[in-house]
Amino acid sequence: MPASTHSTPSTAGEGPMSYAIFQLARAHRARAAAMLREMDLHPGQELLLMQLLDQDGQTQSELLESVGLDHSTVSKSLRRMQDAGLLVREPAAHDRRVMVVHLTDKGRAMREPIAAMWRALEETSARNLSAQQAEAFVSTAYAIADAINSRALPQEESE
């Protein structure tokens, strides 16, 4: 398949793979955000719901760790989701300062719409790829993420 016909800034020529990842992430996020808006969700809220659908009754700290978002984003999202009737937050029995998050019936009912959204996003994303290309992309994407997340400090910073 030919390379994209999109115009690339000349300075991005120093990192063509990184620029392609940026463009991909931006396009994917925009499409996902549009699909989430149709479900009255904000980006990131589906990740919290998916975590709670897998294990209801997590603390806010556990959710923070599992989704990899910052504290203020998670707190704001949980507040919005509580206002929308998707979940409730209540103090833990062992420590009233710790908040435990539980899905409501409305929140549990989001399982299939969220799964359908991910299926549709997957179909759209892989539309121009063979099964082998899609599988190779997933492996490559995780390899890149691992490299970025475990990168060593540059030599000058580590001395």
Side-chain angles (χ1 to χ4, degrees):
M1 175 166 276
S4 173
T5 57
H6 295 286
S7 171
T8 302
S10 60
T11 51
E14 298 299 317
M17 183 180 69
S18 294
Y19 191 74
I21 291 168
F22 165 77
Q23 292 287 38
L24 169 63
R26 190 169 74 174
H28 194 270
R29 180 174 169 82
R31 182 68 192 120
M35 296 170 87
L36 288 167
R37 274 193 302 276
E38 293 173 10
M39 295 188 291
D40 292 323
L41 294 174
H42 295 275
Q45 290 180 340
E46 82 284 10
L47 301 175
L48 293 165
L49 284 169
M50 291 185 328
Q51 290 297 322
L52 290 166
L53 286 164
D54 281 354
Q55 182 184 339
D56 200 7
Q58 294 184 57
T59 66
Q60 283 191 202
S61 297
E62 289 169 332
L63 285 170
L64 256 169
E65 190 175 313
S66 65
V67 296
L69 299 171
D70 64 83
H71 182 270
S72 63
T73 300
V74 170
S75 184
K76 182 178 179 181
S77 290
L78 292 174
R79 186 171 49 256
R80 282 182 173 168
M81 294 165 72
Q82 185 168 353
D83 291 347
L86 297 170
L87 55 85
V88 293
R89 295 182 293 173
E90 47 198 26
H94 72 282
D95 185 343
R96 310 271 312 150
R97 297 169 296 174
V98 174
M99 296 302 281
V100 179
V101 183
H102 293 278
L103 291 171
T104 62
D105 288 343
K106 184 178 178 182
R108 282 186 288 281
M110 294 301 290
R111 180 183 295 276
E112 184 47 39
I114 289 172
M117 183 213 82
W118 282 106
R119 278 192 301 274
L121 191 55
E122 186 83 1
E123 289 170 12
T124 299
S125 299
R127 182 180 303 143
N128 297 332
L129 301 177
S130 68
Q132 294 80 11
Q133 287 173 315
E135 188 176 313
F137 174 80
V138 171
S139 293
T140 301
Y142 279 119
I144 292 169
D146 289 345
I148 290 169
N149 292 329
S150 66
R151 72 171 182 83
L153 289 174
Q155 193 66 23
E156 61 273 10
E157 288 181 28
S158 62
E159 293 177 354

